């Protein structure tokens, strides 16, 4: 079977001309390929180029067969399931025929097999027979994803494109996407930061402005290969540093030896013990020898300096950022938050119903539940932004909440301005030092928040809340890994592991929850 998609030395750039990646050659057959890379490296742009929505900067691509895109459901909540599936017109024709009001055109256009194919597609997507006239807003996030999957299965494409398909989905929705790919018999190109989803890939395509790499296997084997490359790069950097230090030391020693010989020669000449012609020849030989030695020493130092710069570039590309976390001084049994039979209603709808739990000491707890179950409402109640309809809440005054959009940050202000606005006690130097602890160094403090990536925004939010005095002892994080690339997720994981306070987290990413040490789950 020939490839469904062939990419030949393609390159993409932003509309402003900034290179995204180049020299990508790839043939996609009956396989699942995960596409990874830092935010802004062109992953989504690759899918758009395949769909013909943006031009290639260089190279060519060829498509054999049909292409389908699984989009995250963005339709209006009042749109019906039938409209979301794109079947409203076809179902109206069949309905007119059934009620006896159809005309000749209806009979010509009728898709008689549609009801049977739709039922089969819905069952394959994990849904029972549904009321197609129900508004999308009445379905859970997972059900809406399964409806979108059923739409694909009605007439399966040869090549399936997925762009961050599990973002904002509950566990049910994530499982639906994972099941779809596990059973997919065509080709699939999957842009994702979901490590469980990437684990099932046949190959991993990694994009960056400096390198395009293709790895056979899923996420774990690719991550092991990446980590080994990072270790090699670090070893090369240390070796290059030692060699440059040694070359400089040898050059200095050679310079000192030459200076001693020159001094001895001048003393010998001043003694009058040798003929002038012999002294001239000795001086000429010494000068020539010294010049050659100096040139060789300088060349060796320059060569070692070049090797060091090259090794440092590799580490800069491969090594993730690191953040320094200050201790918060949380005692092991201090009560941070307690819900006692808490209820909260939105109009007539009871969102939270008699919820009770406690969080003490540096415990790490995950709040779980399907989309719409009230997880964000629990955070707002815990932060005092909502008042319970009934029940009682105890809370520490040393807690901080970071929502999905890190809404505490003013998008029109710089990082330095934001951190000083949120922490008025910090002067300019203290604010910059605090940002540096979270890997925003030097001129990066002047960046506007609106220009930051999702991972940088979350890092900036952590810098702001963890620079408060006293430091918060409880962090509440609402889907912190949404819209982050894999490198950023790992940086956040490392930072939260180093934080010695308590965590209350909403996340549908089980690997993230495991990595940050969650030990208890509260299900809504």
């Amino acid at each position: 079977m020939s490839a469904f998609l062939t990419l030949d030395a393609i390159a993409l750039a932003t509309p402003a001309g900034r290179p995204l990646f180049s020299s990508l050659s790839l043939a996609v057959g009956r396989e699942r390929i995960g596409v990874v890379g830092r935010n802004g490296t062109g992953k989504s742009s690759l899918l758009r180029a395949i769909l013909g929505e943006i031009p290639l900067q260089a190279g060519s691509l060829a498509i054999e067969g049909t292409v389908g895109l699984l989009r995250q459901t963005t339709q209006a909540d009042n749109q019906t399931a039938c409209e979301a599936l794109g079947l409203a017109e076809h179902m109206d024709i069949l309905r007119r025929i059934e009620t006896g009001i159809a005309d000749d055109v209806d009979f010509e256009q009728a898709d008689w097999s549609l009801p049977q194919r739709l039922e089969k597609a819905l069952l394959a997507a994990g849904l029972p027979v549904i009321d197609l006239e129900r508004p999308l807003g009445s379905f859970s996030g997972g059900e809406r994803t399964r409806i979108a999957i059923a739409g694909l299965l009605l007439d399966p494409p040869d090549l399936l494109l997925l762009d961050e398909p599990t973002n904002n989905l509950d566990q049910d929705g994530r499982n639906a996407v994972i099941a779809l790919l596990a059973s997919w018999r065509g080709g699939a190109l999957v842009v994702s930061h979901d490590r469980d989803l990437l684990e099932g890939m046949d190959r991993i395509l990694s994009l960056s402005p400096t390198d395009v790499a293709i790895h056979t296997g899923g996420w774990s084997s690719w991550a092991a290969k990446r980590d080994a490359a990072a270790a090699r790069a670090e070893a090369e950097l240390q070796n290059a540093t030692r060699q440059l230090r040694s070359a400089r030391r040898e050059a200095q020693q050679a310079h000192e030896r030459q200076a001693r010989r020159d001094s001895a020669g001048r003393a010998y000449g001043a003694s009058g013990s040798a003929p002038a012609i012999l002294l001239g020849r000795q001086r000429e030989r010494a000068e020539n020898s010294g010049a050659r030695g100096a040139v060789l020493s300088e060349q060796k130092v320059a060569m070692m300096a070049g090797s060091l710069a090259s090794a440092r570039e590799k580490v800069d590309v491969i090594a993730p950022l690191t953040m320094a976390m200050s201790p918060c001084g949380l005692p092991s049994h201090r009560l941070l938050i307690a819900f006692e039979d808490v209820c909260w209603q939105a109009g007539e709808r009871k969102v939270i119903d008699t919820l009770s739990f406690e969080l003490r000491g540096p415990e790490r707890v995950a709040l779980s539940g399907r989309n719409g179950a009230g997880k964000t409402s629990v955070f707002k109640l815990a932060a005092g932004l909502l008042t319970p309809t009934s029940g009682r809440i105890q809370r520490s005054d040393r807690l901080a909440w970071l929502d999905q959009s890190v809404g505490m940050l003013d998008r029109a202000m710089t990082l330095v301005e934001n951190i000083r606005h949120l922490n008025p006690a910090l002067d300019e130097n203290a604010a910059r030092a605090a940002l540096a602890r979270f890997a925003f160094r030097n001129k990066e403090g002047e960046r506007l928040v609106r220009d930051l990536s999702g991972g940088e925004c979350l890092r900036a939010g952590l810098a702001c809340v963890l620079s408060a005095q006293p430091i918060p002892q409880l962090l509440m994080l609402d889907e912190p890994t949404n819209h982050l690339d894999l490198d950023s997720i790992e940086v956040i994981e490392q930072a939260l592991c180093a934080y010695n306070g308590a965590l209350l987290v909403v996340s549908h990413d089980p690997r993230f929850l495991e990595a940050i040490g969650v030990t208890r789950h509260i299900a809504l």
Side-chain angles (χ1 to χ4, degrees), residues 505-519:
V505 185
V506 170
S507 176
H508 297 297
D509 183 346
R511 292 189 181 226
F512 173 75
L513 296 177
E514 180 182 357
I516 64 173
V518 165
T519 57

Side-chain angles (χ1 to χ4, degrees), residues 104-124:
D104 291 342
V105 175
D106 286 337
F107 279 95
E108 291 175 5
Q109 296 179 346
D111 184 349
W112 302 102
S113 66
L114 179 58
Q116 292 76 24
R117 289 190 294 113
L118 177 57
E119 182 177 353
K120 182 179 178 180
L122 288 169
L123 287 172

